[in-house]
């Protein structure tokens, strides 16, 4: 069974600094997708970034980038130049290429300190 | 473009009752999934509907059931409510089925169910 582990329940970062959120996953598949979702207090989950496992290049979306280590089954999220609006719960998620189900981690609560 | 909308946003039920939650998918999306998010946990997959048929199911008992309508909107029904059913229920939509694309999910704001 696929599992997603986020070992940091809470993280904090100074405004304008950089923070990295960790995620590991367990799978026997070779083709899959990985995602980071953000859930602010308003509750709506918003996609931050996604990575296709067959791509070696790490995905980047503006201030957000990932460090995808396929052999280590690690998928960390780096947020650069942190802003107050980045404060939220962040969930790492996995989906098999041919699967319907998303597997989510337990989340990391990010606080941004002004 | 209209996003995913859910109703009601909050509701309180008592143990043993039944509840129906509703979801309108994002415009152009024909696949709807439901997730249960207990307090302090990540979302757990309940099931998915594609073209009005259940297309995948997580580890939830049969008292969790659903429907998808021709306009791709969806309902989640839960019978014989238990205290542990208290959670945020998230609806998510996307285009098509798995394979061929990342299948990014677009979420609604959820329905907060409290069972007393």
């Amino acid at each position: 069974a696929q599992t997603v582990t986020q070992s940091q329940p809470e993280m904090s970062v100074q405004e304008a600094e950089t923070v990295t959120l960790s995620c590991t996953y367990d799978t026997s598949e070779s083709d899959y997708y990985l995602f980071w979702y953000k859930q602010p207090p308003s509750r709506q989950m918003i996609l931050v970034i996604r990575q296709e496992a067959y791509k070696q290049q790490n995905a980047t979306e503006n201030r957000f980038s990932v460090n995808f280590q396929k052999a280590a089954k690690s998928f960390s999220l780096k947020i650069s130049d942190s802003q107050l609006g980045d404060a939220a719960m962040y969930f790492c998620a996995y989906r098999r290429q041919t699967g319907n189900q998303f597997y989510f981690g337990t989340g990391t609560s990010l606080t941004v300190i002004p | 473009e209209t996003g995913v909308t859910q109703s009601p946003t909050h509701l309180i039920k008592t143990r043993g009752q039944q509840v129906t939650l509703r979801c309108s998918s994002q415009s152009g999306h024909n696949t709807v999934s439901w997730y249960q998010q207990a307090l302090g946990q990540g979302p757990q997959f309940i099931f998915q509907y594609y073209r009005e048929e259940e297309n995948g199911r997580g580890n939830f008992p049969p008292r969790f059931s659903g429907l998808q309508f021709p306009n791709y909107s969806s309902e989640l029904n839960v019978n014989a409510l238990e205290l542990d059913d208290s959670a945020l229920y998230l609806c998510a939509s996307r285009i098509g089925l798995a394979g061929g694309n990342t299948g990014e999910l677009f979420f609604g704001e959820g329905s907060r169910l409290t069972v007393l």
Side-chain angles (χ1 to χ4, degrees), chain A residues 94-113:
Chain A
Y94 163 100
R95 182 176 75 77
R96 284 169 39 219
Q97 186 185 40
T98 56
N100 298 316
Q101 181 173 350
F102 278 63
Y103 296 85
F104 287 85
T106 52
T108 296
S109 178
L110 179 66
T111 300
V112 181
I113 302 166

Side-chain angles (χ1 to χ4, degrees), chain A residues 9-28:
Chain A
E10 297 178 347
M11 292 282 285
S12 61
V13 62
Q14 290 285 143
E15 195 175 3
E17 296 294 310
T18 296
V19 65
T20 299
L21 308 184
S22 301
C23 172
T24 58
Y25 57 94
D26 183 29
T27 184
S28 58

